[in-house]
Protein backbone atom coordinates (compact mmCIF):
# COMPACT_ATOMS: atom_id res chain seq x y z
CA UNK A 1 0.00 0.00 0.00
CA UNK A 2 2.82 2.38 0.93
CA UNK A 3 4.50 1.59 -2.39
CA UNK A 4 1.35 2.48 -4.30
CA UNK A 5 1.05 5.80 -2.44
CA UNK A 6 4.69 6.61 -3.18
CA UNK A 7 4.19 5.73 -6.85
CA UNK A 8 1.15 8.03 -7.09
CA UNK A 9 3.07 10.82 -5.37
CA UNK A 10 5.96 10.45 -7.81
CA UNK A 11 3.50 10.37 -10.72
CA UNK A 12 1.88 13.60 -9.55
CA UNK A 13 5.24 15.34 -9.00
CA UNK A 14 6.73 14.27 -12.35
CA UNK A 15 3.45 15.00 -14.09
CA UNK A 16 3.52 18.51 -12.62
CA UNK A 17 7.09 19.15 -13.79
CA UNK A 18 6.42 17.80 -17.27
CA UNK A 19 3.21 19.83 -17.54
CA UNK A 20 4.92 23.06 -16.43
CA UNK A 21 7.83 22.53 -18.80
CA UNK A 22 5.62 21.56 -21.72
CA UNK A 23 3.17 24.43 -21.22
CA UNK A 24 6.00 26.91 -20.60
CA UNK A 25 7.56 25.93 -23.92
CA UNK A 26 4.17 26.41 -25.61
CA UNK A 27 3.80 29.86 -24.02
CA UNK A 28 7.33 30.88 -25.03
CA UNK A 29 6.83 29.74 -28.61
CA UNK A 30 3.72 31.92 -28.91
CA UNK A 31 5.99 35.00 -28.68
CA UNK A 32 3.56 36.95 -26.52
CA UNK A 33 4.70 40.22 -24.89
CA UNK A 34 7.34 39.54 -22.24
CA UNK A 35 5.03 40.56 -19.39
CA UNK A 36 2.25 38.29 -20.61
CA UNK A 37 4.65 35.37 -21.09
CA UNK A 38 6.14 35.75 -17.60
CA UNK A 39 2.69 36.11 -16.04
CA UNK A 40 1.52 32.86 -17.61
CA UNK A 41 4.67 31.03 -16.54
CA UNK A 42 4.09 32.28 -13.00
CA UNK A 43 0.50 30.99 -13.11
CA UNK A 44 1.72 27.60 -14.38
CA UNK A 45 4.23 27.32 -11.53
CA UNK A 46 2.04 28.59 -8.69
CA UNK A 47 -1.12 26.67 -9.61
CA UNK A 48 -0.22 23.06 -10.40
CA UNK A 49 -2.41 21.51 -13.12
CA UNK A 50 -4.98 24.32 -12.76
CA UNK A 51 -2.55 26.73 -14.42
CA UNK A 52 -2.30 24.51 -17.49
CA UNK A 53 -6.08 24.30 -17.76
CA UNK A 54 -6.40 28.07 -17.39
CA UNK A 55 -3.87 28.65 -20.16
CA UNK A 56 -5.64 26.30 -22.54
CA UNK A 57 -8.93 28.07 -21.80
CA UNK A 58 -7.74 31.67 -21.78
CA UNK A 59 -4.15 31.87 -22.98
CA UNK A 60 -4.46 31.78 -26.76
CA UNK A 61 -6.65 33.78 -29.11
CA UNK A 62 -8.30 30.75 -30.70
CA UNK A 63 -11.54 31.58 -32.49
CA UNK A 64 -12.45 28.18 -33.86
CA UNK A 65 -11.79 26.34 -37.11
CA UNK A 66 -15.17 27.03 -38.72
CA UNK A 67 -14.98 30.72 -37.93
CA UNK A 68 -11.49 30.96 -39.42
CA UNK A 69 -12.70 29.23 -42.57
CA UNK A 70 -15.62 31.64 -42.94
CA UNK A 71 -13.27 34.61 -42.44
CA UNK A 72 -10.92 33.38 -45.16
CA UNK A 73 -13.82 32.82 -47.53
CA UNK A 74 -15.37 36.25 -46.93
CA UNK A 75 -12.26 38.41 -46.60
CA UNK A 76 -12.02 39.43 -50.24
CA UNK A 77 -15.74 40.15 -50.36
CA UNK A 78 -15.37 42.34 -47.28
CA UNK A 79 -12.39 44.27 -48.64
CA UNK A 80 -14.38 45.01 -51.80
CA UNK A 81 -17.53 46.01 -49.92
CA UNK A 82 -16.45 49.60 -49.24
CA UNK A 83 -15.99 50.86 -52.81
CA UNK A 84 -15.77 54.52 -51.87
CA UNK A 85 -14.34 56.88 -54.44
CA UNK A 86 -12.08 58.82 -52.12
CA UNK A 87 -10.81 62.26 -53.10
CA UNK A 88 -7.18 62.98 -52.19
CA UNK A 89 -6.70 64.24 -48.65
CA UNK A 90 -4.73 67.42 -48.05
CA UNK A 91 -2.92 66.26 -44.94
CA UNK A 92 -1.43 69.74 -44.39
CA UNK A 93 -4.80 70.68 -42.88
CA UNK A 94 -4.49 68.06 -40.14
CA UNK A 95 -2.25 67.12 -37.23
CA UNK A 96 1.28 66.15 -38.26
CA UNK A 97 0.73 62.65 -36.83
CA UNK A 98 -2.49 62.15 -38.81
CA UNK A 99 -1.17 60.93 -42.16
CA UNK A 100 1.19 58.21 -40.81
CA UNK A 101 -1.51 57.14 -38.36
CA UNK A 102 -4.07 56.83 -41.17
CA UNK A 103 -1.63 54.80 -43.27
CA UNK A 104 -0.91 52.49 -40.34
CA UNK A 105 -4.59 51.83 -39.65
CA UNK A 106 -5.41 51.36 -43.35
CA UNK A 107 -2.61 48.80 -43.59
CA UNK A 108 -4.11 46.83 -40.67
CA UNK A 109 -7.83 47.02 -41.44
CA UNK A 110 -7.96 47.88 -45.12
CA UNK A 111 -10.22 50.86 -44.31
CA UNK A 112 -9.13 54.33 -45.42
CA UNK A 113 -10.16 57.59 -43.77
CA UNK A 114 -13.09 59.32 -45.44
CA UNK A 115 -14.25 62.91 -45.24
CA UNK A 116 -17.62 64.59 -45.54
CA UNK A 117 -19.03 63.46 -42.20
CA UNK A 118 -20.84 65.11 -39.33
CA UNK A 119 -20.49 63.89 -35.74
CA UNK A 120 -22.67 64.69 -32.76
CA UNK A 121 -21.70 63.50 -29.27
CA UNK A 122 -24.70 62.56 -27.09
CA UNK A 123 -23.86 62.51 -23.39
CA UNK A 124 -26.78 61.07 -21.43
CA UNK A 125 -28.60 57.74 -21.59
CA UNK A 126 -32.10 59.27 -22.02
CA UNK A 127 -30.85 61.46 -24.87
CA UNK A 128 -29.08 58.51 -26.52
CA UNK A 129 -32.16 56.29 -26.36
CA UNK A 130 -34.45 59.06 -27.60
CA UNK A 131 -32.12 59.75 -30.55
CA UNK A 132 -31.95 56.04 -31.40
CA UNK A 133 -35.75 55.78 -31.31
CA UNK A 134 -36.14 58.86 -33.51
CA UNK A 135 -33.78 57.46 -36.17
CA UNK A 136 -35.29 53.97 -36.04
CA UNK A 137 -38.71 55.58 -36.52
CA UNK A 138 -37.39 57.04 -39.79
CA UNK A 139 -35.86 53.77 -41.03
CA UNK A 140 -37.00 52.71 -44.50
CA UNK A 141 -34.75 49.77 -45.39
CA UNK A 142 -32.87 48.21 -42.46
CA UNK A 143 -31.53 48.60 -38.93
CA UNK A 144 -28.29 46.88 -37.93
CA UNK A 145 -27.75 46.72 -34.17
CA UNK A 146 -24.74 45.39 -32.26
CA UNK A 147 -24.21 45.57 -28.49
CA UNK A 148 -22.10 43.89 -25.87
CA UNK A 149 -24.88 44.26 -23.29
CA UNK A 150 -28.60 44.63 -23.89
CA UNK A 151 -30.32 44.56 -20.55
CA UNK A 152 -34.08 44.21 -21.00
CA UNK A 153 -36.45 46.55 -19.22
CA UNK A 154 -36.65 50.21 -18.29
CA UNK A 155 -36.03 52.81 -20.96
CA UNK A 156 -34.67 50.21 -23.41
CA UNK A 157 -38.28 49.12 -24.03
CA UNK A 158 -38.61 52.30 -26.13
CA UNK A 159 -36.11 50.81 -28.58
CA UNK A 160 -38.05 47.53 -28.69
CA UNK A 161 -41.26 49.44 -29.45
CA UNK A 162 -39.53 51.42 -32.22
CA UNK A 163 -38.16 48.23 -33.78
CA UNK A 164 -41.61 46.65 -33.76
CA UNK A 165 -42.98 49.67 -35.61
CA UNK A 166 -40.08 49.44 -38.07
CA UNK A 167 -40.85 45.79 -38.83
CA UNK A 168 -44.47 46.76 -39.50
CA UNK A 169 -43.10 49.08 -42.21
CA UNK A 170 -41.16 46.12 -43.73
CA UNK A 171 -37.82 47.35 -42.37
CA UNK A 172 -35.31 44.52 -41.98
CA UNK A 173 -33.89 44.39 -38.44
CA UNK A 174 -30.73 42.45 -37.63
CA UNK A 175 -29.41 42.34 -34.07
CA UNK A 176 -26.07 40.87 -32.96
CA UNK A 177 -25.49 40.62 -29.20
CA UNK A 178 -22.59 39.18 -27.27
CA UNK A 179 -23.52 35.73 -25.99
CA UNK A 180 -22.16 36.41 -22.49
CA UNK A 181 -22.69 40.14 -22.03
CA UNK A 182 -26.31 39.95 -23.19
CA UNK A 183 -27.13 36.55 -21.69
CA UNK A 184 -29.98 38.10 -19.68
CA UNK A 185 -31.60 39.34 -22.89
CA UNK A 186 -31.84 35.96 -24.59
CA UNK A 187 -35.08 34.37 -23.44
CA UNK A 188 -36.43 37.66 -22.05
CA UNK A 189 -39.80 39.11 -22.97
CA UNK A 190 -38.30 41.70 -25.39
CA UNK A 191 -36.35 38.89 -27.08
CA UNK A 192 -39.54 36.88 -27.57
CA UNK A 193 -41.41 39.95 -28.81
CA UNK A 194 -38.80 40.70 -31.47
CA UNK A 195 -38.18 37.14 -32.67
CA UNK A 196 -41.94 36.54 -32.90
CA UNK A 197 -42.23 39.30 -35.54
CA UNK A 198 -39.27 38.06 -37.57
CA UNK A 199 -36.32 40.04 -36.22
CA UNK A 200 -33.03 38.15 -36.67
CA UNK A 201 -31.13 38.07 -33.37
CA UNK A 202 -27.77 36.33 -33.31
CA UNK A 203 -25.33 35.49 -30.53
CA UNK A 204 -21.86 36.85 -31.14
CA UNK A 205 -18.95 34.79 -29.83
CA UNK A 206 -21.03 31.84 -28.57
CA UNK A 207 -19.31 29.62 -26.05
CA UNK A 208 -18.22 26.18 -27.18
CA UNK A 209 -15.81 23.54 -25.94
CA UNK A 210 -15.18 21.73 -29.20
CA UNK A 211 -12.46 22.88 -31.60
CA UNK A 212 -14.66 23.95 -34.51
CA UNK A 213 -16.56 26.39 -32.29
CA UNK A 214 -15.39 29.41 -30.35
CA UNK A 215 -13.62 27.88 -27.39
CA UNK A 216 -12.74 30.86 -25.21
CA UNK A 217 -15.13 32.35 -22.69
CA UNK A 218 -13.28 35.66 -22.52
CA UNK A 219 -13.06 36.56 -26.22
CA UNK A 220 -16.04 38.88 -26.26
CA UNK A 221 -17.74 41.15 -28.80
CA UNK A 222 -17.47 44.46 -26.94
CA UNK A 223 -18.77 46.68 -29.73
CA UNK A 224 -21.75 49.00 -29.52
CA UNK A 225 -23.14 50.28 -32.80
CA UNK A 226 -26.38 50.98 -34.64
CA UNK A 227 -26.66 51.64 -38.38
CA UNK A 228 -29.91 52.82 -39.96
CA UNK A 229 -30.27 52.72 -43.76
CA UNK A 230 -26.66 53.79 -44.36
CA UNK A 231 -28.02 57.17 -43.36
CA UNK A 232 -26.81 57.36 -39.79
CA UNK A 233 -24.58 55.34 -37.48
CA UNK A 234 -24.17 55.33 -33.73
CA UNK A 235 -21.07 54.11 -31.93
CA UNK A 236 -19.44 54.63 -28.55
CA UNK A 237 -19.34 53.26 -25.02
CA UNK A 238 -23.08 53.01 -24.31
CA UNK A 239 -24.54 49.54 -23.79
CA UNK A 240 -28.28 49.28 -24.38
CA UNK A 241 -29.22 49.53 -20.72
CA UNK A 242 -31.17 51.81 -18.44
CA UNK A 243 -28.50 53.24 -16.07
CA UNK A 244 -31.11 53.71 -13.37
CA UNK A 245 -31.34 49.92 -13.00
CA UNK A 246 -28.14 48.56 -14.56
CA UNK A 247 -25.86 47.07 -11.87
CA UNK A 248 -27.62 49.22 -9.30
CA UNK A 249 -26.30 47.08 -6.44
CA UNK A 250 -22.63 47.29 -7.50
CA UNK A 251 -21.98 50.36 -5.36
CA UNK A 252 -20.34 52.37 -8.16
CA UNK A 253 -23.20 54.70 -9.08
CA UNK A 254 -24.82 55.07 -12.48
CA UNK A 255 -22.74 54.45 -15.57
CA UNK A 256 -21.74 57.56 -17.53
CA UNK A 257 -21.45 57.11 -21.29
CA UNK A 258 -21.22 58.98 -24.57
CA UNK A 259 -22.44 57.89 -28.00
CA UNK A 260 -21.43 59.45 -31.32
CA UNK A 261 -24.10 59.96 -33.97
CA UNK A 262 -22.41 59.93 -37.39
CA UNK A 263 -23.79 61.03 -40.76
CA UNK A 264 -21.94 60.89 -44.05
CA UNK A 265 -19.81 58.42 -46.05
CA UNK A 266 -18.28 56.83 -42.92
CA UNK A 267 -21.71 55.28 -42.20
CA UNK A 268 -21.12 52.93 -45.12
CA UNK A 269 -17.88 51.75 -43.50
CA UNK A 270 -19.58 51.08 -40.16
CA UNK A 271 -22.22 49.11 -42.02
CA UNK A 272 -19.60 47.10 -43.93
CA UNK A 273 -17.95 46.10 -40.66
CA UNK A 274 -21.29 44.98 -39.24
CA UNK A 275 -22.10 42.97 -42.38
CA UNK A 276 -18.68 41.33 -42.33
CA UNK A 277 -19.00 40.15 -38.73
CA UNK A 278 -22.62 39.12 -39.18
CA UNK A 279 -21.61 36.84 -42.02
CA UNK A 280 -18.64 35.46 -40.09
CA UNK A 281 -20.68 34.79 -36.95
CA UNK A 282 -23.80 33.44 -38.65
CA UNK A 283 -22.38 31.80 -41.74
CA UNK A 284 -25.09 33.45 -43.84
CA UNK A 285 -24.69 35.86 -46.75
CA UNK A 286 -26.39 39.23 -46.54
CA UNK A 287 -27.71 41.12 -49.55
CA UNK A 288 -25.29 43.70 -50.92
CA UNK A 289 -25.27 47.10 -49.32
CA UNK A 290 -26.59 50.14 -51.15
CA UNK A 291 -24.51 50.75 -54.29
CA UNK A 292 -23.42 54.30 -53.49
CA UNK A 293 -22.03 55.92 -50.39
CA UNK A 294 -24.13 58.43 -48.43
CA UNK A 295 -23.74 62.03 -49.50
CA UNK A 296 -21.47 64.36 -47.57
CA UNK A 297 -23.12 65.65 -44.40
CA UNK A 298 -20.26 67.74 -43.02
CA UNK A 299 -16.50 68.19 -43.15
CA UNK A 300 -15.19 65.68 -40.59
CA UNK A 301 -12.46 63.26 -41.69
CA UNK A 302 -12.99 59.93 -39.92
CA UNK A 303 -11.47 56.46 -40.01
CA UNK A 304 -13.33 53.35 -38.85
CA UNK A 305 -10.94 51.08 -36.92
CA UNK A 306 -12.32 47.67 -35.92
CA UNK A 307 -9.98 45.55 -33.81
CA UNK A 308 -10.02 42.13 -32.22
CA UNK A 309 -8.26 38.78 -31.97
CA UNK A 310 -8.91 38.13 -35.66
CA UNK A 311 -6.79 41.05 -36.91
CA UNK A 312 -3.13 42.00 -36.55
CA UNK A 313 -1.83 41.75 -33.00
CA UNK A 314 -1.89 45.00 -31.03
CA UNK A 315 -3.48 46.83 -33.98
CA UNK A 316 -5.25 49.50 -31.94
CA UNK A 317 -2.40 49.60 -29.41
CA UNK A 318 0.04 50.47 -32.19
CA UNK A 319 -2.26 53.21 -33.44
CA UNK A 320 -2.51 54.70 -29.95
CA UNK A 321 1.26 54.58 -29.53
CA UNK A 322 1.73 56.28 -32.90
CA UNK A 323 -0.55 59.13 -31.85
CA UNK A 324 0.90 59.57 -28.34
CA UNK A 325 4.47 59.67 -29.62
CA UNK A 326 3.34 62.32 -32.12
CA UNK A 327 1.73 64.52 -29.44
CA UNK A 328 3.15 68.02 -29.10
CA UNK A 329 1.03 69.77 -26.48
CA UNK A 330 -1.42 67.46 -24.72
CA UNK A 331 -2.78 63.94 -24.34
CA UNK A 332 -6.13 63.63 -22.55
CA UNK A 333 -7.43 60.18 -21.67
CA UNK A 334 -10.73 59.02 -20.19
CA UNK A 335 -11.19 55.31 -19.54
CA UNK A 336 -13.08 53.26 -16.96
CA UNK A 337 -10.51 50.45 -16.87
CA UNK A 338 -6.91 51.63 -16.90
CA UNK A 339 -4.36 48.82 -17.04
CA UNK A 340 -2.15 50.18 -19.84
CA UNK A 341 0.68 47.65 -19.91
CA UNK A 342 4.33 48.47 -20.38
CA UNK A 343 4.19 49.93 -23.89
CA UNK A 344 1.46 52.49 -23.17
CA UNK A 345 2.86 53.27 -19.74
CA UNK A 346 6.24 54.13 -21.24
CA UNK A 347 4.66 56.18 -24.04
CA UNK A 348 2.71 58.28 -21.52
CA UNK A 349 5.75 58.76 -19.28
CA UNK A 350 7.96 59.77 -22.21
CA UNK A 351 5.31 62.23 -23.43
CA UNK A 352 5.08 63.83 -19.98
CA UNK A 353 8.87 64.05 -19.62
CA UNK A 354 9.24 65.84 -22.94
CA UNK A 355 6.79 68.52 -21.85
CA UNK A 356 3.47 67.22 -23.15
CA UNK A 357 0.59 67.72 -20.70
CA UNK A 358 -0.71 64.21 -20.08
CA UNK A 359 -4.00 63.76 -18.21
CA UNK A 360 -5.76 60.53 -17.25
CA UNK A 361 -9.28 60.47 -15.79
CA UNK A 362 -10.62 57.23 -14.33
CA UNK A 363 -13.70 56.55 -12.20
CA UNK A 364 -13.26 56.71 -8.44
CA UNK A 365 -15.01 53.34 -8.14
CA UNK A 366 -15.03 50.46 -10.63
CA UNK A 367 -16.91 47.19 -10.60
CA UNK A 368 -13.81 44.98 -10.53
CA UNK A 369 -11.48 44.38 -7.56
CA UNK A 370 -8.64 43.16 -9.76
CA UNK A 371 -8.90 46.03 -12.25
CA UNK A 372 -9.00 48.61 -9.45
CA UNK A 373 -5.79 47.37 -7.86
CA UNK A 374 -4.06 46.65 -11.17
CA UNK A 375 -4.86 50.21 -12.24
CA UNK A 376 -3.50 51.65 -8.99
CA UNK A 377 -0.26 49.75 -9.49
CA UNK A 378 0.57 52.11 -12.39
CA UNK A 379 -0.21 55.36 -10.58
CA UNK A 380 3.08 55.94 -8.75
CA UNK A 381 5.40 55.72 -11.76
CA UNK A 382 3.06 57.81 -13.91
CA UNK A 383 2.66 60.50 -11.25
CA UNK A 384 6.41 60.65 -10.74
CA UNK A 385 6.87 61.17 -14.49
CA UNK A 386 4.48 64.14 -14.40
CA UNK A 387 1.29 62.50 -15.65
CA UNK A 388 -1.82 64.08 -14.07
CA UNK A 389 -4.32 61.51 -12.76
CA UNK A 390 -7.81 62.36 -11.55
CA UNK A 391 -10.70 60.26 -10.28
CA UNK A 392 -14.30 60.93 -11.31
CA UNK A 393 -16.75 60.71 -8.43
CA UNK A 394 -20.23 61.07 -9.96
CA UNK A 395 -20.66 57.48 -11.13
CA UNK A 396 -18.79 54.86 -13.10
CA UNK A 397 -17.31 56.93 -15.90
CA UNK A 398 -17.58 54.47 -18.80
CA UNK A 399 -16.61 56.76 -21.70
CA UNK A 400 -13.48 55.75 -23.63
CA UNK A 401 -11.58 58.51 -25.43
CA UNK A 402 -8.06 59.72 -26.16
CA UNK A 403 -7.58 63.30 -27.39
CA UNK A 404 -4.19 64.45 -28.74
CA UNK A 405 -3.43 68.17 -29.03
CA UNK A 406 -7.18 68.90 -29.30
CA UNK A 407 -6.93 68.00 -33.01
CA UNK A 408 -6.72 64.19 -33.17
CA UNK A 409 -8.85 61.71 -31.22
CA UNK A 410 -9.76 58.09 -30.64
CA UNK A 411 -13.33 57.40 -29.54
CA UNK A 412 -15.28 54.17 -29.14
CA UNK A 413 -15.34 51.00 -27.11
CA UNK A 414 -11.65 50.40 -26.31
CA UNK A 415 -10.66 50.56 -22.67
CA UNK A 416 -6.99 51.21 -21.95
CA UNK A 417 -6.47 47.72 -20.62
CA UNK A 418 -4.91 44.69 -22.22
CA UNK A 419 -8.26 42.94 -22.58
CA UNK A 420 -9.55 45.63 -24.93
CA UNK A 421 -6.20 46.08 -26.65
CA UNK A 422 -5.62 42.36 -27.22
CA UNK A 423 -8.66 40.17 -26.78
CA UNK A 424 -12.04 41.79 -27.31
CA UNK A 425 -13.71 42.68 -30.59
CA UNK A 426 -13.74 46.47 -30.37
CA UNK A 427 -14.66 49.47 -32.49
CA UNK A 428 -12.77 52.76 -32.59
CA UNK A 429 -13.43 55.89 -34.58
CA UNK A 430 -10.27 57.89 -35.30
CA UNK A 431 -11.17 61.56 -35.71
CA UNK A 432 -8.81 63.77 -37.69
CA UNK A 433 -11.07 66.83 -37.90
CA UNK A 434 -10.02 69.43 -35.28
CA UNK A 435 -13.47 71.06 -34.75
CA UNK A 436 -15.01 67.62 -34.11
CA UNK A 437 -12.15 66.69 -31.79
CA UNK A 438 -12.71 69.90 -29.86
CA UNK A 439 -16.34 68.93 -29.27
CA UNK A 440 -15.08 65.72 -27.67
CA UNK A 441 -12.44 67.66 -25.73
CA UNK A 442 -15.21 69.74 -24.14
CA UNK A 443 -16.88 66.55 -22.92
CA UNK A 444 -13.61 65.43 -21.32
CA UNK A 445 -13.08 68.89 -19.78
CA UNK A 446 -16.49 68.63 -18.09
CA UNK A 447 -15.48 65.27 -16.60
CA UNK A 448 -12.31 66.89 -15.29
CA UNK A 449 -14.36 69.52 -13.48
CA UNK A 450 -16.15 66.75 -11.57
CA UNK A 451 -12.96 64.87 -10.74
CA UNK A 452 -10.45 64.98 -7.90
CA UNK A 453 -6.75 65.15 -8.66
CA UNK A 454 -4.52 62.43 -7.25
CA UNK A 455 -1.54 64.12 -5.58
CA UNK A 456 1.69 62.18 -5.46
CA UNK A 457 2.46 63.06 -1.83
CA UNK A 458 -0.92 61.79 -0.71
CA UNK A 459 -0.67 58.73 -2.93
CA UNK A 460 2.64 57.76 -1.32
CA UNK A 461 0.94 57.71 2.08
CA UNK A 462 -1.42 54.85 1.27
CA UNK A 463 -0.99 51.77 3.45
CA UNK A 464 1.70 49.15 2.96
CA UNK A 465 -1.06 46.55 2.58
CA UNK A 466 -2.56 48.48 -0.34
CA UNK A 467 0.82 48.72 -2.04
CA UNK A 468 1.44 45.00 -1.49
CA UNK A 469 -1.96 44.04 -2.99
CA UNK A 470 -1.36 46.35 -5.96
CA UNK A 471 2.06 44.84 -6.64
CA UNK A 472 0.71 41.30 -6.39
CA UNK A 473 -2.11 42.08 -8.80
CA UNK A 474 0.36 43.89 -11.07
CA UNK A 475 2.16 40.58 -11.64
CA UNK A 476 -0.91 39.14 -13.33
CA UNK A 477 -2.20 42.42 -14.82
CA UNK A 478 -1.26 41.30 -18.36
CA UNK A 479 -3.88 38.55 -17.97
CA UNK A 480 -6.74 40.68 -16.58
Amino acid sequence: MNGLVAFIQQLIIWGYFLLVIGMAVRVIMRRLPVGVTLAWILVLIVFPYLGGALYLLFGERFLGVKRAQREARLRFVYLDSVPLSLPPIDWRRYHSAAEPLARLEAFVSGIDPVGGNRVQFIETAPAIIDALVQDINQAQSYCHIEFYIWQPGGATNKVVDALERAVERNVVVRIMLDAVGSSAFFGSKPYRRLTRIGVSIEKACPIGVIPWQLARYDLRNHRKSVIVDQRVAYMGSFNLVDPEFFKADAGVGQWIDVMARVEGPAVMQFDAVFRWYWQVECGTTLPDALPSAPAAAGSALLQVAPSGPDVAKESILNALLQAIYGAKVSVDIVTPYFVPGEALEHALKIAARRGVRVSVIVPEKVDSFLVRHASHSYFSSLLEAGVAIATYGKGLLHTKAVVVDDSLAFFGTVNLDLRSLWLNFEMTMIIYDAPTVQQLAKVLAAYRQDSSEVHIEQWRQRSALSRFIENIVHLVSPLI
Side-chain angles (χ1 to χ4, degrees):
M1 185 66 179
N2 290 336
L4 178 60
V5 171
F7 173 76
I8 293 174
Q9 289 175 339
Q10 290 295 315
L11 188 64
I12 292 173
I13 292 171
W14 282 107
Y16 164 69
F17 280 117
L18 291 173
L19 177 66
V20 170
I21 293 171
M23 294 302 296
V25 169
R26 181 175 178 133
V27 172
I28 291 168
M29 294 305 293
R30 297 293 296 177
R31 287 186 59 82
L32 300 169
V34 174
V36 177
T37 299
L38 293 177
W40 273 119
I41 291 175
L42 177 64
V43 169
L44 291 170
I45 293 172
V46 173
F47 301 102
Y49 294 103
L50 176 61
L54 289 173
Y55 178 77
L56 291 175
L57 286 172
F58 303 112
E60 298 178 6
R61 304 196 298 185
F62 176 64
L63 294 169
V65 175
K66 284 189 175 181
R67 194 182 199 282
Q69 291 172 343
R70 288 198 296 269
E71 283 188 1
R73 188 169 62 250
L74 292 166
R75 182 166 298 278
F76 291 107
V77 176
Y78 165 68
L79 291 177
D80 291 338
S81 66
V82 194
L84 297 177
S85 178
L86 302 175
I89 298 170
D90 182 2
W91 288 108
R92 293 172 299 179
R93 298 174 49 203
Y94 301 99
H95 192 283
S96 59
E99 184 177 9
L101 173 61
R103 287 202 304 265
L104 172 65
E105 183 54 41
F107 176 82
V108 172
S109 67
I111 302 176
D112 291 305
V114 58
N117 303 285
R118 179 169 58 232
V119 181
Q120 174 191 5
F121 295 103
I122 308 175
E123 300 180 49
T124 67
I128 293 168
I129 290 175
D130 287 347
L132 283 172
V133 168
Q134 183 174 352
D135 279 315
I136 293 170
N137 284 340
Q138 296 177 34
Q140 298 177 358
S141 179
Y142 65 85
C143 297
H144 287 162
I145 297 173
E146 181 178 22
F147 282 101
Y148 174 58
I149 300 174
W150 186 334
Q151 185 188 52
T156 65
N157 287 338
K158 295 180 181 179
V159 176
V160 178
D161 295 339
L163 292 174
E164 286 188 328
R165 292 191 295 268
V167 172
E168 291 174 358
R169 301 192 305 273
N170 295 318
V171 172
V172 175
V173 178
R174 300 182 182 98
I175 301 173
M176 184 162 52
L177 304 175
D178 185 79
V180 174
S182 295
S183 58
F185 182 82
F186 296 104
S188 68
K189 184 177 179 180
Y191 173 82
R192 292 191 295 271
R193 284 174 60 188
L194 293 173
T195 54
R196 190 180 302 122
I197 60 175
V199 173
S200 299
I201 305 179
E202 297 290 342
K203 291 183 179 181
C205 302
I207 301 301
V209 294
I210 47 183
W212 53 87
Q213 293 180 334
L214 181 70
R216 281 193 59 172
Y217 178 87
D218 63 332
L219 294 182
R220 308 313 326 150
N221 185 337
H222 196 238
R223 295 170 182 162
K224 299 98 176 167
S225 63
V226 177
I227 303 101
V228 179
D229 290 347
Q230 282 190 338
R231 179 181 60 84
V232 61
Y234 289 80
M235 62 86 64
S237 66
F238 179 72
N239 289 296
L240 198 52
V241 303
D242 188 334
E244 187 174 346
F245 306 106
F246 182 63
K247 292 192 175 183
D249 57 350
V252 296
Q254 292 192 10
W255 290 42
I256 310 297
D257 285 290
V258 174
M259 211 69 165
R261 183 181 184 273
V262 182
E263 297 174 279
V267 173
M268 187 175 186
Q269 296 181 325
F270 284 112
D271 190 50
V273 174
F274 177 92
R275 289 171 181 269
W276 155 255
Y277 280 98
W278 178 276
Q279 293 176 116
V280 169
E281 290 287 358
C282 307
T284 58
T285 302
L286 295 183
D288 291 338
L290 299 178
S292 60
S299 60
L301 181 68
L302 308 176
Q303 191 168 24
V304 177
S307 59
D310 60 338
V311 296
K313 292 182 179 180
E314 313 112 28
S315 61
I316 195 63
L317 172 61
N318 288 336
L320 286 165
L321 292 172
Q322 174 84 11
I324 292 170
Y325 281 122
K328 299 175 181 178
V329 179
S330 61
V331 175
D332 293 293
I333 296 171
V334 170
T335 180
Y337 308 118
F338 181 69
V339 188
E342 291 182 5
L344 267 178
E345 179 190 18
H346 288 316
L348 295 174
K349 288 161 66 173
I350 290 170
R353 287 168 177 164
R354 60 186 172 84
V356 174
R357 178 186 60 77
V358 182
S359 168
V360 178
I361 302 175
V362 296
E364 182 179 314
K365 299 177 180 178
V366 295
D367 57 339
S368 169
F369 173 88
L370 289 177
V371 169
R372 180 170 69 253
H373 288 286
S375 179
H376 288 173
S377 72
Y378 288 91
F379 280 19
S380 291
S381 65
L382 290 171
L383 290 168
E384 289 168 0
V387 175
I389 301 176
T391 58
Y392 181 87
K394 289 193 172 183
L396 197 156
L397 182 57
H398 196 241
T399 303
K400 306 103 169 20
V402 177
V403 173
V404 175
D405 296 343
D406 281 355
S407 57
L408 176 66
F410 296 76
F411 175 81
T413 69
V414 175
N415 298 304
L416 287 195
D417 64 2
L418 297 181
R419 171 156 302 285
S420 280
L421 298 171
W422 273 79
L423 297 179
N424 288 337
F425 293 93
E426 305 281 0
M427 177 64 77
T428 301
M429 179 171 63
I430 305 177
I431 308 170
Y432 299 101
D433 175 61
T436 304
V437 173
Q438 287 158 19
Q439 293 180 42
L440 182 59
K442 289 180 181 178
V443 175
L444 271 58
Y447 292 150
R448 194 174 296 112
Q449 292 295 319
D450 291 326
S451 301
S452 301
E453 186 177 354
V454 178
H455 297 283
I456 188 167
E457 296 82 6
Q458 183 180 3
W459 187 251
R460 287 171 175 164
Q461 295 175 8
R462 69 196 189 286
S463 69
L465 178 61
S466 293
R467 293 196 297 271
F468 179 75
I469 293 173
E470 291 162 12
N471 290 334
I472 288 292
V473 176
H474 184 80
L475 295 176
V476 295
S477 62
L479 312 183
I480 294 176

